[in-house]
């Protein structure tokens, strides 16, 4: 007998650490709002007083704050430890990231937690020429990459060390 999946039992962490307001940020708010409206539990990890935070406030979506950007190793280590605390305190069933800077720290944590799927929405032109073993290994932990067009899909297949079958339009 198959166990039924109840959305009210699922909790999704959406990670959007952007200070801008564009397609990706709107998609994050839309996804979190939609998942909450169909019965799931969703919350967003974002910067305090960012445009994502303000829009999430309007939609009444719970938020957790991260103070700095992920431009250097110190802030990535800080992000790693903060995310570990969130995963210990909350029962997270799925992580959906909207920023490529968060992929390596997420991959580091989730390599040891294979039961938590990690999704990534990609819609930007980045210089992802990471060649170190660790960059490739941790980013390869991504279970699926979502894109908005076939052209962006091809860019994601070329840029990220994941199988082409994991990249979807």
């Amino acid at each position: 007998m198959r166990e039924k999946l109840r959305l009210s039992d699922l909790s999704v962490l959406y990670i959007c650490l952007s200070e801008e307001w564009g397609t990706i940020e709107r998609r994050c708010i839309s996804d979190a709002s939609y998942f909450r409206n169909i019965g799931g539990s969703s919350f967003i990890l974002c910067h305090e007083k960012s445009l994502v935070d303000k829009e999430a406030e309007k939609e009444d979506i719970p938020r957790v704050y991260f103070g700095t950007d992920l431009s250097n190793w110190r802030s990535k280590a800080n992000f790693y430890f903060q995310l570990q605390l969130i995963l210990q305190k909350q029962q997270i069933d799925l992580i959906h990231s909207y920023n490529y800077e968060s992929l390596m720290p997420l991959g580091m944590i989730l390599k040891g937690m294979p039961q938590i799927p990690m999704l990534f929405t990609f819609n930007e032109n980045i210089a992802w020429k990471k060649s170190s073993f660790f960059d490739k290994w941790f980013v390869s932990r991504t279970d699926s990459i979502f894109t908005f067009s076939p052209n962006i899909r091809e860019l994601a297949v070329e840029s990220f060390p994941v199988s082409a079958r994991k990249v979807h339009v």
Side-chain angles (χ1 to χ4, degrees):
M1 181 163 73
R2 294 181 99 183
E3 184 177 331
K4 290 188 177 185
L5 181 67
R6 293 180 20 196
L7 290 178
S8 59
D9 293 338
L10 294 180
S11 180
V12 178
L13 172 62
Y14 295 92
I15 300 174
C16 190
L17 299 174
S18 176
E19 295 294 332
E20 301 170 6
W21 184 248
T23 307
I24 290 288
E25 295 78 17
R26 284 191 295 274
R27 184 64 187 212
C28 176
I29 296 293
S30 173
D31 289 349
S33 179
Y34 177 76
F35 189 74
R36 182 208 51 214
N37 291 343
I38 61 173
S41 172
S42 64
F43 59 101
I44 297 175
L45 176 65
C46 62
H47 293 300
E48 191 170 11
K49 297 181 181 169
S50 67
L51 294 171
V52 172
D53 178 35
K54 292 174 185 174
E55 289 298 316
E57 176 73 28
K58 290 178 190 175
E59 293 286 330
D60 199 29
I61 300 169
R63 289 152 332 275
V64 178
Y65 299 115
F66 182 69
T68 61
D69 64 351
L70 294 173
S71 60
N72 59 40
W73 279 100
R74 184 182 188 127
S75 60
K76 286 183 182 178
N78 195 11
F79 178 73
Y80 172 87
F81 291 117
Q82 182 176 354
L83 198 56
Q84 251 186 345
L85 285 174
I86 292 169
L87 292 174
Q88 289 171 359
K89 291 180 182 177
Q90 305 276 340
Q91 174 59 39
I92 304 295
D93 299 302
L94 181 106
I95 295 179
H96 191 155
S97 177
Y98 295 84
N99 303 94
Y100 67 92
E101 296 97 352
S102 65
L103 290 181
M104 187 172 171
L106 279 170
M108 289 173 70
I109 293 171
L110 296 178
K111 278 289 188 182
M113 299 176 172
Q115 73 277 12
I116 300 177
M118 180 172 68
L119 308 175
F120 173 54
T121 296
F122 177 70
N123 190 34
E124 47 196 316
N125 195 358
I126 59 167
W128 177 265
K129 300 301 178 195
K130 304 286 183 178
S131 58
S132 87
F133 170 75
F134 290 113
D135 288 332
K136 291 178 181 177
W137 190 55
F138 291 131
V139 172
S140 70
R141 172 56 178 86
T142 306
D143 294 299
S144 281
I145 297 177
F146 300 119
T147 63
F148 294 134
S149 73
N151 292 340
I152 298 294
R153 181 190 184 281
E154 292 304 317
L155 181 62
V157 168
E158 292 172 11
S159 300
F160 294 102
V162 296
S163 168
R165 66 179 176 76
K166 290 184 174 185
V167 182
H168 310 281
V169 177

